[in-house]
Amino acid sequence: MDKGMRVLELFNEHASALSIGDIAANTGMGRSAAQRFVYTLHWLGYLNKDSESKKYFPALKLLGLVRGIHRHHPQRELAYPLLEKLARETRETVSWVELDGDEVVVLLNVPGSHVTTINLPVGSRFPALTSSSGQVLLSHAPQAQLLKMLDALPPEVRARFGSRSSAAVLAVFRKAAEEGHSFTEKNFGDDGVSVSVPVTDVSGRPIAALNVSTVRSRFDIAQVRELILPRLKSAAREASI
């Protein structure tokens, strides 16, 4: 199972079709072992094979697994119309984001209608500590957990906090807990501005974050706070049980 999943996960990292040799090289398996797993996944319908190049790529059957994930999370499914409404009102990219270990993953996404938008396809992953969604989802986490996660960050990710000390980074999470939202600024070719608020379950526990991502050429943080944040918080309240 572990080796079979390593083959499937490889296609998250590579946008193009892969040969048996590519798969063997990138998974660390021998060629014959990689071939056995690929043939089995192809026979089961989870990989397609290009008849000309003889390379493999993910099959549509994999989407059935995604549908199963959503079916077991009705709150997420019920929230989709709220994301669509918010995207229409703001014309910006709106996402439903959940925590997965030290990362956040985009599970629902409605792209913005501008020519220049932040592209966050479903399945996109980002380090939790440096993302606005991760900051609201971890805002009530124990300090010891946050410090452990901070120490484990690769240097290039830790650099996103600039020269802030560990204490200053912890203050970011305390502020997110107090205010119920978090902002981050990134560079996606244009300067990106991201704001997230938590969605809670019946017990008040944060289960996801609603996120709006825009670019500074349209909205700086002050404008996002004034024009987008109230709509975002209203949508999150509706999405919460």
Side-chain angles (χ1 to χ4, degrees):
M1 279 292 290
D2 173 68
K3 290 181 179 179
M5 293 308 298
R6 278 161 54 192
V7 171
L8 288 179
E9 289 172 354
L10 193 61
F11 290 93
N12 284 334
E13 305 166 18
H14 298 268
S16 59
L18 299 173
S19 67
I20 296 291
D22 296 330
I23 293 168
N26 283 281
T27 58
M29 298 183 199
R31 185 181 177 89
S32 60
Q35 190 172 54
R36 288 196 302 274
F37 286 106
V38 169
Y39 282 2
T40 300
L41 290 166
H42 180 239
W43 178 76
L44 290 171
Y46 290 111
L47 290 179
N48 283 334
K49 183 179 181 180
D50 182 81
S51 58
E52 293 186 6
S53 69
K54 310 301 182 185
K55 293 184 177 183
Y56 294 84
F57 57 95
L60 292 177
K61 188 175 180 180
L62 283 167
L63 293 176
L65 303 179
V66 176
R67 187 172 64 250
I69 292 172
H70 286 309
R71 188 180 298 125
H72 288 281
H73 294 81
Q75 192 171 346
R76 183 194 303 150
E77 283 292 273
L78 292 171
Y80 192 76
L82 297 172
L83 272 68
E84 288 185 313
K85 179 173 181 279
L86 186 57
R88 284 196 306 271
E89 292 174 345
T90 63
R91 301 184 64 203
E92 302 296 343
T93 299
V94 181
S95 306
W96 175 287
V97 184
E98 294 185 19
L99 188 66
D100 185 20
D102 290 349
E103 297 180 314
V104 291
V105 56
V106 177
L107 293 175
L108 295 174
N109 178 258
V110 182
S113 59
H114 293 281
V115 173
T116 303
T117 61
I118 303 299
N119 184 28
L120 298 174
V122 170
S124 299
R125 288 177 172 271
F126 304 96
L129 291 186
T130 56
S131 69
S132 64
S133 295
Q135 288 166 9
V136 296
L137 290 172
L138 289 167
S139 61
H140 294 283
Q143 288 195 1
Q145 176 186 342
L146 295 174
L147 287 172
K148 184 177 179 181
M149 293 173 68
L150 187 62
D151 289 342
L153 286 180
E156 66 274 13
V157 178
R158 178 64 173 84
R160 296 175 192 172
F161 284 116
S163 59
R164 289 175 177 164
S165 64
S166 295
V169 172
L170 292 178
V172 171
F173 292 86
R174 288 197 302 272
K175 184 178 180 182
E178 292 166 1
E179 297 185 345
H181 62 265
S182 184
F183 291 96
T184 57
E185 296 182 84
K186 309 183 183 87
N187 193 305
F188 291 92
D190 196 349
D191 286 16
V193 178
S194 173
V195 57
S196 296
V197 300
V199 176
T200 59
D201 63 13
V202 68
S203 67
R205 179 180 64 92
I207 60 165
L210 282 192
N211 170 268
V212 173
S213 295
T214 182
V215 292
R216 197 182 294 115
S217 58
R218 288 194 296 273
F219 294 98
D220 60 22
I221 283 186
Q223 292 169 317
V224 170
R225 186 185 300 277
E226 177 186 356
L227 301 173
I228 293 179
L229 182 58
R231 293 180 185 273
L232 180 60
K233 286 193 169 184
S234 176
R237 283 193 297 270
E238 289 190 62
S240 298
I241 295 177

